[in-house]
Amino acid sequence: SSDVCSSDPPPLAPEVKREVFVLPERRQKQSWKGLRYLVNDRFIPEPVVKTLFEKGTIYMPYIESKRTKKPIDLVGFIAYDENHNPVSLEADATFIIPGKHRFKMLHEGSDQRYGFMFKNNIDLVQGKPKIYFCESAVDAMSLFTLKNLPGIYVSMTGLKDMMLNHMTNMFDGMPVICTDNDDAGNRFRRKFSTYEILVPEYGKDWNDELRYRVCQGLGYALKNDSTLSQKDIDKYLESQKAFAATFDHTKAITSLPV
């Protein structure tokens, strides 16, 4: 369903007291783990992932486990403020412990007025840009892959009124609510019902829909608890060559808030 935004951009959110944010150092020679996770597990096209790695928006942060004191295999999604300073870090584990959910985190001291974001073909936008607010970085990249809409894609790392208000004002844009198709996502959409809305057609979130569409294209019935075989993954990676050939992501995607 879709409603057109009819209200003016809200005021900038005030800065709240928090721990000082320090961006973790980069883990050397570990980018392949993040690439493998995002491409093989999440089905984000390799050109998209590589472009955002090259632009420095995605990286492998050095964050130690408090229990083992060893680095955790995490892929990090950096948020920048208006002055190009890193101010927040969302991170996903590149692995799942059997029987448990994937570990995700928002790094200590993160300024929750800002989220991981990237712009797509912003030069094609006439008037105010649309800002697609998703619940995670993976969902933002999934929505972009599915629809390739010009505008700005933002991860709220959950559901954050403050971030939606602040970044809408920061970019002087038109918010599009792209939250999960669950109770929490529905409540958030109702709260901002005057804004345009996009809802996943399959599964709970945009990555569920992306995985479904990819598997559908491969003639493979994807169940919620299943993963693709290596043969199917190889087939998918081969299909990405056509995707890469038809769209120049290096030119289309920019990642800093300018």
Side-chain angles (χ1 to χ4, degrees), residues 175-247:
V176 182
I177 310 301
C178 309
T179 50
D180 292 356
N181 192 9
D182 59 11
D183 290 343
N186 291 335
R187 285 195 298 271
F188 195 83
R189 281 190 287 274
R190 287 196 295 270
K191 186 185 300 185
F192 295 99
S193 60
T194 59
Y195 294 154
E196 183 177 348
I197 291 169
L198 289 176
V199 184
E201 296 178 15
Y202 178 89
K204 182 177 75 72
D205 57 37
W206 293 106
N207 190 245
D208 282 350
E209 177 159 340
L210 175 61
R211 296 176 75 243
Y212 171 75
R213 299 295 181 196
V214 168
C215 292
Q216 191 179 47
L218 294 173
Y220 180 87
L222 179 67
K223 299 178 181 178
N224 291 334
D225 59 352
S226 68
T227 56
L228 289 180
S229 68
Q230 188 59 50
K231 180 179 179 181
D232 282 322
I233 289 174
D234 290 342
K235 189 176 179 181
Y236 168 61
L237 296 178
E238 184 67 25
S239 72
Q240 285 194 23
K241 292 180 180 179
F243 181 95
T246 58
F247 192 77

Side-chain angles (χ1 to χ4, degrees), residues 83-238:
N83 299 313
H84 298 181
N85 297 314
V87 292
S88 181
L89 180 69
E90 171 185 351
D92 287 5
T94 61
F95 60 92
I96 298 180
I97 299 174
K100 295 188 177 182
H101 293 292
R102 186 180 302 276
F103 173 73
K104 299 182 179 182
M105 64 173 289
L106 185 66
H107 192 56
E108 58 188 8
S110 288
D111 188 335
Q112 297 189 47
R113 297 174 301 167
Y114 301 91
F116 164 82
M117 56 75 63
F118 57 91
K119 301 175 183 179
N120 176 43
N121 283 323
I122 203 72
D123 293 340
L124 300 181
V125 176
Q126 295 182 350
K128 293 185 177 183
K130 289 188 176 182
I131 308 175
Y132 302 97
F133 286 95
C134 300
E135 291 194 32
S136 72
V138 166
D139 282 339
M141 290 186 288
S142 299
L143 175 63
F144 162 69
T145 301
L146 285 162
K147 298 186 177 295
N148 189 20
L149 299 166
I152 303 167
Y153 293 76
V154 175
S155 165
M156 295 185 286
T157 321
L159 299 166
K160 297 184 174 68
D161 300 25
M162 179 171 59
M163 185 189 296
L164 185 147
N165 293 338
H166 185 81
M167 296 193 74
T168 296
N169 188 285
M170 172 177 159
F171 290 113
D172 190 21
M174 298 174 60
V176 182
I177 310 301
C178 309
T179 50
D180 292 356
N181 192 9
D182 59 11
D183 290 343
N186 291 335
R187 285 195 298 271
F188 195 83
R189 281 190 287 274
R190 287 196 295 270
K191 186 185 300 185
F192 295 99
S193 60
T194 59
Y195 294 154
E196 183 177 348
I197 291 169
L198 289 176
V199 184
E201 296 178 15
Y202 178 89
K204 182 177 75 72
D205 57 37
W206 293 106
N207 190 245
D208 282 350
E209 177 159 340
L210 175 61
R211 296 176 75 243
Y212 171 75
R213 299 295 181 196
V214 168
C215 292
Q216 191 179 47
L218 294 173
Y220 180 87
L222 179 67
K223 299 178 181 178
N224 291 334
D225 59 352
S226 68
T227 56
L228 289 180
S229 68
Q230 188 59 50
K231 180 179 179 181
D232 282 322
I233 289 174
D234 290 342
K235 189 176 179 181
Y236 168 61
L237 296 178
E238 184 67 25

